[in-house]
Amino acid sequence: MNTAIQSIYPGAYPEPAAEDEPDLAFPRAPLNLTLGFDLETYQIPIDQLMPSKKVPDGVMSTRKFKQIVSSIREIGLIEPLSVIQPDPEQENFLLLDGNLRVLALKELGEEFAPCLVAKDFETYTYNHRINRLSTVQEHYMLRRAIDKGVSKERLARAFNVNLSSINRRVNLLQGICPKAVELLQDQQFPPDVTRILRKMKAARQIEAVELMIASNSLTSAHADALYKATPPEQRTDYTPPAREKPAGDPLEQIVKLEREMSQVQTKYKDAEQSYGSELLNLVVARGFLAKLLDNEAIQEFIGGAQPEILAHFLMIVNAATIEEEIASQSGDDLLDAAE
């Protein structure tokens, strides 16, 4: 191994102390498996690290790169770089993973970088084997960090975001029903999605989340569209309309209603008393019309002069009762509508 690099962590099987019993010593025989990396983490000079791919122009001005720089400045480098030494006779190492972190360390003025030295050159991309942190898991992580005493200001500096962004992520699930949280558990989405869901009632929240997951579109624009399509009674800001109060004095309204009911009852009693005599007059009139229309000359005369009156006379004569006439008229209307 190159003398310019330094071991900063002991290996998995350190040398036992002289006073240790031989049976308690760590095994030094080869393992029955092939390790992908050396067991030690080394500090390698940054000048000896060669990039494995070309970094796009302007990457150092992106938000992602600035977050990496802020995170390293605030809490240090969490994940060592992955490197391999193509030629043991040379001092240079090839970066397998960590090109942006090397640039960040250079910008911070660091001279060495902690590295894991690979034993075999892998052709796959390391980032493809990473399980991305979901938005809900990120929320729980921030809440645990704050509960352990980490200030929101330090978190904002570490993530290179403003304090309001940290507050939104800390309060991400406030006002969201447990079933909707369960559906969002493994999803990645912007914090504005839950801000919009918070305006809906629980049943509508679940329905909206299911629709967004089914369409694979967990965006704030989609959530806002679903909110605008939400019926008013399923929104949290919905206020039922107040019952209209009767105009004027309620006692006066009651007196007026009682007076109208008394008038209706009086008219009903009058109609009940005159019902028999009026029905008799109608029967006599019907008999007179039937005898009158039996005369063909009179029927032809009325039909020629007033055909509409003749039609009404015939209807009265042919009707057995008033109820049957009303029923027949209703049946005719239904037939006309069917035609």
Side-chain angles (χ1 to χ4, degrees):
M1 186 66 68
N2 194 316
T3 57
I5 64 177
Q6 307 169 15
S7 176
I8 62 174
Y9 296 118
Y13 305 114
E15 292 291 336
E19 61 273 10
D20 291 339
E21 297 180 11
D23 294 340
L24 300 179
F26 291 96
R28 288 184 291 277
L31 301 175
N32 293 326
L33 53 88
T34 302
L35 298 179
F37 293 87
D38 284 343
L39 297 176
E40 294 82 7
T41 302
Y42 297 96
Q43 288 277 36
I44 300 179
I46 293 179
D47 295 338
Q48 296 181 10
L49 300 178
M50 299 183 301
S52 58
K53 61 181 179 180
K54 185 179 183 301
V55 178
D57 297 334
V59 70
M60 298 182 69
S61 61
T62 61
R63 180 173 177 268
K64 178 181 178 181
F65 180 78
K66 292 178 180 178
Q67 285 183 331
I68 294 174
V69 174
S70 299
S71 175
I72 295 175
R73 182 190 297 114
E74 191 65 28
I75 59 177
L77 187 65
I78 298 175
E79 181 183 359
L81 309 178
S82 300
V83 299
I84 191 171
Q85 192 172 24
D87 188 357
E89 301 297 329
Q90 297 182 1
E91 296 182 346
N92 294 330
F93 290 81
L94 181 65
L95 274 170
L96 297 178
D97 184 50
N99 291 278
L100 292 182
R101 279 171 280 165
V102 168
L103 293 178
L105 290 170
K106 287 182 179 180
E107 183 168 317
L108 293 172
E110 299 290 337
E111 297 181 358
F112 292 85
C115 300
L116 294 174
V117 179
K119 294 184 176 181
D120 188 16
F121 184 80
E122 296 288 350
T123 58
Y124 65 81
T125 302
Y126 286 81
N127 285 337
H128 288 174
R129 302 309 190 263
I130 296 176
N131 291 325
R132 299 294 178 185
L133 195 66
S134 70
T135 306
V136 175
Q137 291 171 341
E138 182 185 69
H139 159 77
Y140 291 143
M141 179 190 70
L142 291 175
R143 293 299 298 265
R144 283 196 295 268
I146 292 173
D147 292 341
K148 291 181 179 180
V150 182
S151 65
K152 293 182 181 179
E153 291 76 11
R154 186 179 182 187
L155 290 172
R157 291 194 300 269
F159 288 104
N160 193 35
V161 295
N162 53 36
L163 191 59
S164 62
S165 178
I166 294 295
N167 288 328
R168 284 200 304 271
R169 294 180 183 276
V170 169
N171 301 322
L172 182 76
L173 303 181
Q174 184 178 359
I176 306 300
C177 70
K179 179 61 176 178
V181 174
E182 182 181 348
L183 293 173
L184 294 171
Q185 189 73 34
D186 300 324
Q187 304 294 330
Q188 290 184 334
F189 54 89
D192 284 342
V193 169
T194 55
R195 177 183 60 82
I196 298 171
L197 290 176
R198 209 171 286 125
K199 300 178 182 179
M200 309 177 192
K201 293 185 178 179
R204 180 58 177 172
Q205 286 180 5
I206 298 171
E207 184 179 354
V209 171
E210 289 176 344
L211 289 172
M212 287 190 289
I213 292 176
S215 61
N216 196 23
S217 177
L218 279 163
T219 62
S220 54
H222 194 177
D224 187 57
L226 292 173
Y227 169 70
K228 291 179 179 177
T230 301
E233 60 272 10
Q234 294 186 14
R235 300 182 182 181
T236 55
D237 58 352
Y238 171 72
T239 303
R243 297 180 60 182
E244 296 183 0
K245 296 182 179 180
D249 187 6
L251 183 58
E252 182 181 351
Q253 296 291 334
I254 294 174
V255 173
K256 184 178 180 180
L257 182 61
E258 290 178 350
R259 185 168 55 249
E260 291 179 354
M261 288 295 296
S262 176
Q263 293 176 358
V264 171
Q265 290 177 357
T266 302
K267 292 180 180 179
Y268 175 77
K269 290 180 180 179
D270 293 342
E272 187 178 15
Q273 292 175 359
S274 60
Y275 175 77
S277 59
E278 290 179 355
L279 181 60
L280 179 60
N281 293 335
L282 289 175
V283 172
V284 173
R286 177 176 175 273
F288 174 76
L289 288 175
K291 188 174 292 186
L292 184 67
L293 294 178
D294 285 341
N295 191 325
E296 295 181 0
I298 295 175
Q299 186 173 351
E300 290 178 0
F301 174 76
I302 297 175
Q306 297 292 338
E308 294 180 359
I309 294 177
L310 178 62
H312 282 83
F313 285 169
L314 292 174
M315 181 182 66
I316 293 172
V317 171
N318 295 328
T321 62
I322 296 176
E323 289 79 4
E324 292 179 2
E325 178 60 25
I326 294 174
S328 64
Q329 289 295 323
S330 300
D332 294 341
D333 292 341
L334 291 174
L335 289 174
D336 292 341
E339 293 176 356

